[in-house]
Amino acid sequence: GEEVAQTPKHLVRGEGQKAKLYCAPIKGHSYVFWYQQVLKNEFKFLISFQNENVFDETGMPKERFSAKCLPNSPCSLEIQATKLEDSAVYFCASSLLGNTEAFFGQGTRLTVV
Amino acid sequence: AQSVSQHNHHVILSEAASLELGCNYSYGGTVNLFWYVQYPGQHLQLLLKYFSGDPLVKGIKGFEAEFIKSKFSFNLRKPSVQWSDTAEYFCAASTGTASKLTFGTGTRLQVTL
């Protein structure tokens, strides 16, 4: 597609429940990035992929967070046993090559109650 | 570690006023610099980018930015703002290939009629 598509737009989970977010990058883009935006300001990098391979996972919390980009499937970000502090907007971005600009999706607003 | 600073947290301007938003980065090597805009309830959109070459970069919607290497700055400017420019503006930097973006904390611009 011509834009980064993220689903769902909103997700509400009770503490301890699992949350799974999806991202379809722009067709032909090789790189996918996940960012977490808390309090409408800070963007925190989580993880990036080059095709289906993890490229940089230095921002991923060691526990509870995992992500995948499998061939012919949307990329996914999964949070096991959500906590209140996981409430945020999660943005996915994709770029054609490693040194080109990233295009962002609309985000998924996760609310943990 | 790389960091990006935006010192103006909230700026209020009247329509037709000139705009300059500050952005400073801390990294001694080669950096790629970006300005993104986030309109209320929407995703990040790229305004302009600098990779190399002419330090004065022109972007969409009449925005421009100047890369001043000696000052580690990449300030955003617009000669005459419009009410529709009301949004959150984020400066970001990356280094190398496929590098994650490091964002500033954003500047909220409010344009009054």
Side-chain angles (χ1 to χ4, degrees):
Chain A
E2 293 295 321
E3 59 180 30
V4 177
Q6 288 189 250
T7 56
K9 286 189 178 178
H10 302 278
L11 189 59
V12 180
R13 287 288 179 266
E15 261 198 298
Q17 290 186 314
K18 184 175 74 174
K20 195 163 185 179
L21 293 60
Y22 297 92
C23 168
I26 292 173
K27 192 175 180 181
H29 281 197
S30 302
Y31 291 85
V32 171
F33 305 81
W34 283 99
Y35 293 87
Q36 178 194 55
Q37 185 187 29
V38 179
L39 299 175
K40 292 186 64 177
N41 287 107
E42 289 191 38
F43 281 88
K44 181 190 171 192
F45 167 77
L46 295 175
I47 190 169
S48 62
F49 289 84
Q50 180 184 12
N51 298 312
E52 61 266 26
N53 304 306
V54 174
F55 189 82
D56 181 349
E57 58 182 345
T58 54
M60 281 289 267
K62 297 279 187 253
E63 300 172 353
R64 303 184 301 109
F65 282 65
S66 63
K68 293 179 188 176
C69 276
L70 299 175
N72 303 314
S73 297
C75 297
S76 64
L77 176 68
E78 190 168 313
I79 309 172
Q80 303 285 346
T82 53
K83 297 183 178 182
L84 295 175
E85 69 234 35
D86 299 331
S87 294
V89 181
Y90 291 83
F91 286 98
C92 174
S94 71
S95 64
L96 180 63
L97 301 171
N99 57 355
T100 54
E101 68 265 30
F103 293 85
F104 282 76
Q106 300 268 3
T108 293
R109 179 176 296 279
L110 171 65
T111 304
V112 181
V113 296
Chain B
Q2 182 176 266
S3 67
V4 175
S5 301
Q6 291 180 248
H7 302 294
N8 314 108
H9 297 295
H10 188 192
V11 173
I12 303 174
L13 293 172
S14 299
E15 260 203 336
S18 64
L19 169 73
E20 179 157 4
L21 300 182
C23 173
N24 289 91
Y25 63 93
S26 67
Y27 186 71
T30 302
V31 290
N32 304 317
L33 295 160
F34 308 82
W35 275 98
Y36 283 89
V37 62
Q38 187 176 31
Y39 297 103
Q42 295 193 25
H43 64 293
L44 287 172
Q45 297 175 39
L46 182 68
L47 278 177
L48 46 80
K49 62 185 184 286
Y50 173 79
F51 287 118
S52 63
D54 189 344
L56 185 61
V57 179
K58 296 203 182 292
I60 62 171
K61 305 183 187 226
F63 287 92
E64 66 177 34
E66 186 174 11
F67 170 58
I68 304 179
K69 190 174 181 179
S70 61
K71 294 186 178 180
F72 296 89
S73 70
F74 190 57
N75 292 355
L76 181 71
R77 299 195 292 249
K78 185 170 184 177
S80 176
V81 294
Q82 298 174 303
W83 180 79
S84 57
D85 292 326
T86 295
E88 193 89 24
Y89 291 81
F90 292 91
C91 182
S94 71
T95 61
T97 301
S99 179
K100 63 195 180 211
L101 289 169
T102 299
F103 284 88
T105 51
T107 296
R108 184 178 166 218
L109 172 64
Q110 187 177 347
V111 180
T112 59
L113 295 170

